[in-house]
Each structure stands twice: as C-alpha cells, then as structure tokens.
Amino acid sequence: MATGVVIGALAFTLIALLIPVQKFGGRNAAAATAPAAEDDGAGIQSTAFGPLTPQDRDFVRKVRLAGLWELPAGRQAMQRSTRPAIRTAGEHLVEGHTELDRRVMEVSQALGMEIPNQPSVLQQGWLDQMDRAQGPQYEQLFIQLLRRAHGKVFALVAQIRAQTRNSMVRALATDANSTVLDHITVLEASGLVDFDGLADAPSGTPSAPAPASSPYSRPTK
C-alpha cells in the first residue's frame, strides 16, 4: 500500500509539471510569436497554383505595401545622406523593392488579387517623419524605422514560406526572404541601429510615447 501511495504521488507530481509546459510551451507560445494576418473575408480560394488563403493574400498585400513606402525612403536616403553606409542602404532598398514590386504585380495578376496603390496611413506617417528630420537625426530615424520594419516582416516571410500551399505565394516568399535579409544586413552595417529600441512592449501593455529626445516611432510594418 505504501508503495502504491508513493507511485501515485509521483504520478501526480509529473502531471502537475507537464500541464504548465504544455500550456505555455505549445500552441499558446506559438500564437504569441506568429505575426497576425488580416482576414479579408474571402475565405480559401482555389487557384491553378494551389489554395489561396486569407493569410496568403495578406502577405502579398503587405509585400506591396512595404515597397510603397520603402522605395521612396530609399531614394530619399540616397539623395539626402552624406554617409556612404546610409546611401548604400538606400540603394539596396530601391533595388530590392523594385524587383519585389515587379514580382508582386505578377503574383497578384496571376491570382486575381487587388493590391494597394499607396502606403498605409501609418507608413505615410513614417515618411513624413523623415521629411521633417534633418542631419544626424534624419539618418538615425531612417535606419531605425527601416530596421524595425524589416525585422517585423522577416518573421511573416518565414511563416508564409513554411505554411503556404500556393506555389506563387511560396516563390514570392522565397524572393522576399532574400531581399529582407539583405536589407537588414545593410541597415545594421550603418552602426546606427538601436537594438534595445527594436523590442516590443509585452502583450497587453500600452506602448509608451517615444521620449522627446528620440526622433522615431516604432514601425510594425
């Protein structure tokens, strides 16, 4: 009987240990790190290239939106900055998003999708911030806004590349992965990235306004 009590106690302890591991290390943890997709309400569509999900369509539109603000940001950096590293980053942005934009056009036409033709209100706000900034403040702002935005989209690209069943979307994600990684690399090569400033606030915590000494807001792309 004593042996049975000991075995029962050990089993109970094991169950108690496993429950929090399953709860916090399984689907809940994955959901916390996965970028949220916007559902356009059109459901899963059948195409010649495989099923097209709301997440797939959201990804294609976000790649298009990225180009709509990062292309002008890159051109501006090439014109305004005196630092070779900033100008190089601008060149990479222009070259990369020019090609990605061409690919997005092909994909959207093949899949019968509508895509945006202008930046979002938030993205336009980032461009306006850079328009107003001057000198070193402009260069710091450019690097921080673009580096944080690329960090956000990098996670989305990886998720889509791993999960999509649509061959056109998968090919676009493959191209986007190489482009985004290249842009992250050249932005970091400037030496101006504030890595502490890239972190998000914990879930459910309101974002604090940027201090007066900070020239940038935090993009989510």
Side-chain angles (χ1 to χ4, degrees):
M1 182 179 295
T3 302
V5 171
V6 171
I7 293 174
L10 289 173
F12 180 80
T13 301
L14 180 60
I15 291 171
L17 289 171
L18 287 175
I19 287 174
V21 171
Q22 183 178 16
K23 180 177 180 181
F24 297 109
R27 289 185 301 174
N28 288 350
T33 57
E38 295 182 11
D39 190 345
D40 58 9
I44 299 176
Q45 299 172 348
S46 177
T47 77
F49 308 97
L52 184 68
T53 67
Q55 186 180 44
D56 293 333
R57 292 190 295 273
D58 179 67
F59 169 70
V60 174
R61 292 181 181 120
K62 282 180 176 175
V63 174
R64 168 66 168 168
L65 280 169
L68 288 173
W69 84 278
E70 291 177 22
L71 269 170
R75 294 189 187 105
Q76 185 183 70
M78 293 169 63
Q79 295 169 357
R80 292 183 57 182
S81 180
T82 59
R83 294 194 188 202
I86 304 284
R87 295 173 63 87
T88 296
E91 291 173 1
H92 280 241
L93 287 172
V94 171
E95 292 173 2
H97 282 289
T98 296
E99 177 59 20
L100 270 186
D101 207 48
R102 183 188 67 79
R103 293 282 294 113
V104 167
M105 293 294 189
E106 293 177 350
V107 171
S108 63
Q109 290 175 5
L111 299 177
M113 284 183 53
E114 293 184 2
I115 55 176
N117 288 316
Q118 59 185 10
S120 69
V121 173
L122 190 59
Q123 291 169 332
Q124 186 59 54
W126 302 332
L127 291 171
D128 292 342
Q129 286 185 60
M130 287 189 285
D131 286 341
R132 295 190 297 267
Q134 299 294 327
Q137 184 190 49
Y138 164 76
E139 294 175 335
Q140 177 69 58
L141 178 64
F142 167 79
I143 291 295
Q144 197 71 7
L145 284 172
L146 271 297
R147 172 57 181 83
R148 191 168 197 276
H150 279 81
K152 285 287 186 179
V153 81
F154 199 41
L156 175 63
V157 171
Q159 181 184 30
I160 295 296
R161 180 62 183 82
Q163 296 180 357
T164 185
R165 293 182 290 160
N166 188 284
S167 61
M168 290 287 286
V169 175
R170 188 180 306 114
L172 178 63
T174 299
D175 292 341
N177 183 73
S178 300
T179 300
V180 172
L181 182 57
D182 171 70
H183 292 175
I184 286 174
T185 302
V186 293
L187 289 165
E188 291 177 350
S190 71
L192 296 178
V193 176
D194 173 14
F195 287 94
D196 290 338
L198 300 178
D200 289 331
S203 179
T205 303
S207 298
S213 61
S214 174
Y216 55 85
S217 63
R218 294 181 173 181
T220 55
K221 205 154 184 172

